[in-house]
Amino acid sequence: MAVLSSSLSAFFIKKLVHPSKPTSIFSHYSTHPHLSAMNFPPRSKPSSAASATTSEVPDLPSNEMGKIVEQTFERYSSSDEAKRNGSGVAIVWFRNDLRVLDNEALVKAWASSQAVLPVYCVDPRLFGTTHYFGFPKTGALRAQFLIECLADLKRNLMNRGLNLLVQHGKPEEILPSLAKTFEAHTVYAHKESCSEELNVERLVRNGLRQVVLPPSPGQSTSLSSSNHPKLQLIWGSTMYHIEDLPFSTSSLPDVYTQFRKSVESKCTIRICIRTPTLLGPPPNIEDWGSVPSIDQLGLHEEKVSRGMRFIGGEAAALSRVNEYFWKKDLLKVYKATRNGMLGPDYSTKFSPWLASGSLSPRFIYQEVKRYEKERQANDSTYWVLFELIWRDYFRFLSVKYGNSLFHLGGPRKVEARWSQDQTMFEAWRDGCTGYPLIDANMKELSTTGFMSNRGRQIVCSFLVRDMGIDWRMGAEWFETCLLDYDPCSNYGNWTYGAGVGNDPREDRYFSIPKQAKTYDPEGEYVAFWLPELQALPNDKRNFPGKSYIKQIVPLKFGNITSSGDKDSASARRTAFRGKQRKGHMR
Ligand code: FAD
């Protein structure tokens, strides 16, 4: 088949799918299919005043990032052109898999066609509101991260001789229209597991059924009436492949340790799919559309003025893996540092790229194994994989439990009384509860789009156990803000934190005084986010008494002063939380 080159196609694509207007920002990058470090765009550094309190993740100069990307792409690419024996056009529908490396949908589309059309749909539903409480579904910081991911994906595809068609609208309208225009035989995409995404998959499949393709050479016309483009969905978001599990998802163990031990002993992790060095040619399209600006998404730019600023895209993801594992050599101490809260180095910070799919968990696995071979293997190198198995587990649980993950009673349909008190919720959301550890974490979340795992567990416990607030309000606020928002990990962790998850034993109460003393003994973390506490002696920063705003609720199990004494008055007050269970004290 000749490459689609007619101006008719270009006309149709303009007419049918409304390419976005702004001029491309990529025209100054080479479209030659070589992987040159020179193609990596220079990054603007934050102003010196801001840089004293902000750090970029990864924190590497652009030429170094370019080199890392070049080397990594080389290591995980193949030049095996022989595997391409397909015909016609195949579409790749990019979703939460915004990467070139280890992208099975992309490689399958390439192998089954003569021309690949990569498409991203800017779905207006992603910029609507959350399900129950009407918060913005995607906050400005995650939207900015997504924009950077798309720009980087477009660049990486162009470096391999392709491009990314960015379209504004619903996938179920855009993809059938494109399939018709380009007579694409298949739309390849990664499979999702939660209801909103599954619904879009269903609508896309229905839309494709309405498209009738002309008979291919040699095919009889009677057959052609059933000749529709297919939707081929591929599993690719987890470290362990769903098809390799030693049980069906309906009989997934309800205890994490059982799941982990079983997969560790009975399954192997598939190696990364090698991406061909050259993926072109693309169909001939006049206007590929450009990556949207934040205004086009109906949001206003928010600059990170304090804390970590994550750079979106696969190049940044691969660079962060390199920085954390190889350059800073932090993998060997991960287990000891992972409960920290301040700065980029206490944990990997891979989650925003994993959630957008700019980073493959199988790639991380292979890099851990390489590190273990070339440097050392210890508890810490294993523990990153242990945590990634949690991520897998929550994804598989979403398949087992479906929508109950989002319901008040959770997978176990637990009945409990919850409050939806707006004033209390807003105090939590805005970091004005009177508890420095809670307030600092909530301010970090809204300023950067990130919060440590320790912080997330503490603020979740405070909202649901101490305030008695409907856990879904917290989960939806996280959905708005988190750069790494992922429905499975977010709602999975929230149901556990609220004691309504699938495993009744995962029912924990986090004592703020105890957590503060253990994880922020010098008050460094709270003083960073609440500068008004900086003047206090270190041991008072988490226990400022009258020097800080009034506590909005007493703690369910009492306050402990900086000397460790229990505040018995507050211990007696239990508000409306009588019906809620205590949970295991942490
Ligand atoms: P590291 O400690 O370096 O861990 C490495 C990777 O393991 C992480 O990137 C992540 O992919 C995975 N991981 C670690 N802990 C968990 C966990 N408890 N559950 C699932 N995966 C884990 N994580 C998300 O990716 N998206 C979310 O929307 C999300 N919401 C959360 C909500 C609550 C209430 C809680 C308690 C946790 C949530 N987590 C979520 C899990 C965890 O907090 C983050 O994955 C982690 O803090 C990210 O930082 P990191 O990449 O430095 O993690």
Side-chain angles (χ1 to χ4, degrees), residues 394 405 487-497 501:
F394 281 124
L405 204 60
C488 313
S489 287
N490 191 52
Y491 285 86
N493 275 289
W494 272 96
T495 54
Y496 271 40

Side-chain angles (χ1 to χ4, degrees), residues 425 428 459-470 474 494:
F425 172 73
W428 178 83
V459 301
C460 165
S461 167
F462 180 77
L463 184 83
V464 303
R465 315 270 172 184
D466 292 309
M467 287 183 143
I469 299 281
D470 185 336
W494 272 96

Side-chain angles (χ1 to χ4, degrees), residues 334 338 347-351 354 384 387-388 390-391 394 450-453 456-457 460 478 482 484-486 489-490 493-494:
Y334 168 77
R338 57 178 284 273
S347 67
T348 67
K349 308 295 181 302
F350 294 161
S351 57
L354 281 164
V384 167
E387 295 299 342
L388 285 170
W390 263 114
R391 179 177 173 275
F394 281 124
F450 190 83
M451 190 193 288
S452 67
N453 186 51
R456 293 181 206 203
Q457 294 180 91
C460 165
F478 269 35
L482 282 176
D484 64 24
Y485 168 67
D486 155 41
S489 287
N490 191 52
N493 275 289
W494 272 96

Side-chain angles (χ1 to χ4, degrees), residues 229-480:
K230 287 185 293 293
L231 176 63
Q232 181 132 1
L233 295 168
I234 291 155
W235 189 268
S237 56
T238 49
M239 196 163 63
Y240 286 99
H241 198 285
I242 195 165
E243 285 161 14
D244 299 338
L245 295 180
F247 27 66
S248 68
T249 43
S250 58
S251 29
L252 195 78
D254 275 322
V255 175
Y256 169 72
T257 311
Q258 278 172 21
F259 167 79
R260 180 181 56 78
K261 287 190 172 159
S262 184
V263 292
E264 282 177 337
S265 60
K266 296 184 187 141
C267 313
T268 47
I269 293 165
R270 299 183 182 187
I271 56 164
C272 292
I273 309 266
R274 284 184 175 268
T275 310
T277 325
L278 299 178
L279 291 163
N284 192 353
I285 293 176
E286 215 173 74
D287 182 354
W288 284 85
S290 57
V291 173
S293 66
I294 194 98
D295 303 332
Q296 285 173 312
L297 301 178
L299 296 160
H300 298 296
E301 188 180 358
E302 278 176 28
K303 287 234 184 288
V304 175
S305 55
R306 211 174 177 74
M308 289 176 287
R309 147 127 165 86
F310 286 77
I311 302 166
E314 185 173 20
L318 301 178
S319 300
R320 175 60 185 171
V321 176
N322 187 287
E323 179 185 47
Y324 189 83
F325 284 12
W326 301 99
K327 189 173 184 196
K328 294 188 172 173
D329 208 11
L330 292 166
L331 179 54
K332 63 174 188 235
V333 293
Y334 168 77
K335 194 165 181 228
T337 59
R338 57 178 284 273
N339 277 309
M341 289 186 285
L342 191 57
D345 290 345
Y346 62 82
S347 67
T348 67
K349 308 295 181 302
F350 294 161
S351 57
W353 296 289
L354 281 164
S356 60
S358 318
L359 186 59
S360 151
R362 292 188 293 227
F363 169 79
I364 302 174
Y365 173 78
Q366 277 185 241
E367 286 290 293
V368 169
K369 292 292 143 191
R370 189 160 77 89
Y371 180 96
E372 288 181 338
K373 218 163 143 195
E374 292 178 22
R375 299 225 173 138
Q376 60 171 292
N378 63 16
D379 275 6
S380 284
T381 57
Y382 165 69
W383 215 259
V384 167
L385 304 178
F386 175 97
E387 295 299 342
L388 285 170
I389 301 175
W390 263 114
R391 179 177 173 275
D392 275 16
Y393 184 55
F394 281 124
R395 173 70 57 153
F396 296 131
L397 278 178
S398 76
V399 179
K400 177 173 180 181
Y401 285 108
N403 268 349
S404 65
L405 204 60
F406 306 106
H407 296 163
L408 189 60
R412 281 189 300 117
K413 303 186 173 36
V414 176
E415 285 192 22
R417 272 189 296 148
W418 300 94
S419 155
Q420 292 183 356
D421 185 298
Q422 199 61 25
T423 312
M424 285 225 267
F425 172 73
E426 283 172 13
W428 178 83
R429 181 194 66 191
D430 300 338
C432 302
T433 64
Y435 292 93
L437 195 57
I438 301 300
D439 296 348
N441 271 292
M442 295 309 293
K443 286 202 191 296
E444 179 179 13
L445 177 65
S446 54
T447 311
T448 68
F450 190 83
M451 190 193 288
S452 67
N453 186 51
R454 180 61 37 192
R456 293 181 206 203
Q457 294 180 91
I458 298 168
V459 301
C460 165
S461 167
F462 180 77
L463 184 83
V464 303
R465 315 270 172 184
D466 292 309
M467 287 183 143
I469 299 281
D470 185 336
W471 65 269
R472 297 169 306 172
M473 294 177 91
E476 288 197 1
W477 182 243
F478 269 35
E479 179 172 346
T480 300

Side-chain angles (χ1 to χ4, degrees), residues 487-556:
C488 313
S489 287
N490 191 52
Y491 285 86
N493 275 289
W494 272 96
T495 54
Y496 271 40
V500 302
N502 56 295
D503 185 349
R505 299 173 321 163
E506 291 286 339
D507 190 11
R508 310 166 185 172
Y509 177 83
F510 286 76
S511 154
I512 296 172
K514 198 170 155 206
Q515 294 289 317
K517 279 169 169 286
T518 313
Y519 298 105
D520 191 29
E522 303 298 318
E524 275 177 285
Y525 176 73
V526 292
F528 181 83
W529 285 103
L530 306 166
E532 64 269 39
L533 300 175
Q534 272 164 15
L536 296 182
N538 293 4
D539 65 338
K540 290 275 179 282
R541 288 167 169 178
N542 269 293
F543 308 93
K546 292 209 165 62
S547 336
Y548 187 58
I549 52 177
K550 193 165 170 280
Q551 296 173 346
I552 188 150
V553 283
L555 295 180
K556 195 173 176 188

